Each structure stands twice: as C-alpha cells, then as structure tokens.
Amino acid sequence: MKYFLPSRYYLCYVSGPHYDDLDKNYRISPWNLCYHVQCGPVGVHTDTETLAMFPAFYYPISETKNQDVTGFTRLYQMEILPAYYQHSHFNLTLHMKKWFSYLGNTSYCQDVVFKNALTGVPLARGVTHNVRVDFKLRRPVKIPNKWFRDISKDQLTRSKPPQGFKQPPRPDNSYLFTTEVTSSCVDSNQHQNMAIHLKNCWDAGSAAACSNQLSQFNTDLAYYNLKQVSFLYQGEVVIGDILQVACWEHPTNSKTLCFTMTKGSEVIGQCQMEFYPDSQSMLKNQVKAKL
C-alpha cells in the first residue's frame, strides 16, 4: 500500500487486492470495498512526512486512538460503475482518492472515488456521513475549529449531508436471517464494524436467493452485479448480540433488495442494494469467459 497526496487536501493511496478481498466469484466484495473506504486514511499516521503535510486526515484517527472522541458512520453510500465488472480483479490495483466534502456542527462527510490505478478508469464512487462522538458517553460532540481551519473550503462541495433513502414497509413474508456478533466483527470503537453490517445483509440476501425466496435472484449474490448500496446505521451492537436481518424485494423495483437489521425490537440499521438489470446476462458472459 502506498500513500501520496496530489494536494494538501486530498488523500490518495494505491493498493493491490489481497486474497481476502476476493469473493467466490473472484471479485473484490462490496464489504471489502467498504473496508478500503474506512481504513485508507488510517495508514497516514504511520507516515510522519504525510502526517505533517496533511494533519486534517489524522484528526478522526488520532481522536479514536486516544479514545477521547471518535467518529460513528451514520450513512454509507457507494455506486459501483460498469467498468468495475469489466476487468479481472486478480491483478487490479485500486487507486482511492478521499476528501472532506462537508463539515457541520457535529458531523462531517468524506467523498471517495476508486479508479483503476493503471488506466485511470473510474470504478466506484461514494460518500460516508459521520458523526463526531464522545467515546465514553456515546453522544455527539462539536467539530473543533481547527478542522475548519485546516480543511479547504473549496473541497466542501456539499451544502448538507446526503439524506439517505426511503425504506418501504417490510412485508410479513420477508426472509429472516440470524447471525451473532463475534470478536472479529468488532472494531476499535468496541462495536460491530460497519463493513460487517453490510456483509450481514449480503449473506441474508444470498441465503434468501438460494432458498428461492426472491423472484429475480436464485443464487449467491456474488454472481450478480451490484450497482449501488446504501446503509443507514441506527444503533450499536457488541460481542454476543444476536441480530436478525430481514430481506425482501423492493415493491417497485425487484432488482433492489431491502434489508432491516434488528436486535430484539431495536432497529440497528437499514440497507438497500440495487443490482444492474442485466446482471443475469453479465453472469453468463463471465462464466463463458472463465471456461
């Protein structure tokens, strides 16, 4: 992994795929792409020269490391472009560019773009909306003035955070998937990592498809082409918690899967995944290419 800065206000890194990044269809899985979004800036603090040039990116990381203040993700959105599916991921080198796009009273947004590092072709783009939180009290705290001082106003292109999505009512016959939070699911904030939430929904959708509970999906979701994903985080879960994930098809777009994650009666998160309408033909072409 190599970090570099095209300017003071943009963090970039280049990373080749690891074995664990690839799913059973030999593609970087959606939750591992989410890991890249989360963990890309973390390596900045190991590079003294980079840190000196770009202190703003270290603020959320250093606060979490000191366990005084941390950042909780409220909303994660990612659009996967068609080019993402047009090349082998075995030798794909990702170029990620990430920057602050919004600063509010207690929250901030970071936009991200993934490209093929060799060709420059865009592969995916997204945004996270994060809330600055007191680590012990788990309550929002104000964005400090130094953030506004050190982050360029020119890059703050969002006048407000993204508003997320409207979730249709869950039908009584929705597919139910149960999972448990284990130690490896928990991050430095001492709750389940946001990428694992996404993985839980992916597993629920795959289980529903393989159980013939969905009209447009009949096998593991790894063999379909995800177009975009949105996840709204509404609560925390910790080691030992039992989660139930409900999965159903959107009533007006059967290529969109809806998910609600609950712990008992508490809603922990909601998710929507939209797939390309020609996923089946893409799947057949990919199988032929491998043969």
Side-chain angles (χ1 to χ4, degrees), residues 74 165 167 197 201 230-237 243-246 248 258-263 266-272:
R74 173 189 169 271
F165 54 92
Q167 189 80 299
H197 281 60
C201 291
S230 298
F231 199 109
L232 179 64
Y233 300 85
Q234 297 173 273
E236 292 188 86
V237 289
L243 304 179
Q244 188 173 77
V245 184
W248 69 99
C258 303
F259 304 87
T260 295
M261 179 181 291
T262 57
K263 181 183 71 173
E266 180 185 2
V267 176
I268 300 301
Q270 299 182 72
C271 179
Q272 286 188 6

Side-chain angles (χ1 to χ4, degrees), residues 13 36 49 159 184 206 270:
Y13 84 86
H36 281 286
E49 181 180 354
S159 60
S184 61
S206 292
Q270 299 182 72

Side-chain angles (χ1 to χ4, degrees), residues 181 185-186 190-193 197 200 235-243 261-263 266 268:
V181 180
C185 300
V186 174
Q190 304 306 313
H191 61 201
Q192 178 162 283
N193 183 272
H197 281 60
N200 291 156
E236 292 188 86
V237 289
V238 299
I239 297 174
D241 283 343
I242 304 298
L243 304 179
M261 179 181 291
T262 57
K263 181 183 71 173
E266 180 185 2
I268 300 301

Side-chain angles (χ1 to χ4, degrees), residues 117-141:
L118 299 180
T119 66
V121 173
L123 303 175
R125 57 192 173 209
V127 61
T128 59
H129 179 211
N130 311 283
V131 180
R132 192 167 176 264
V133 174
D134 183 287
F135 189 87
K136 294 181 180 178
L137 299 178
R138 311 307 246 200
R139 293 285 183 265
V141 293

Side-chain angles (χ1 to χ4, degrees), residues 2-13 44 47 49-55 57 95 97-98:
K2 180 180 180 181
Y3 294 86
F4 61 95
L5 303 170
S7 77
R8 177 180 172 84
Y9 305 106
Y10 297 89
L11 172 70
C12 292
Y13 84 86
V44 174
D47 185 335
E49 181 180 354
T50 301
L51 177 57
M53 293 175 62
F54 204 169
F57 256 102
H95 169 285
K97 181 179 179 181
K98 189 175 184 180

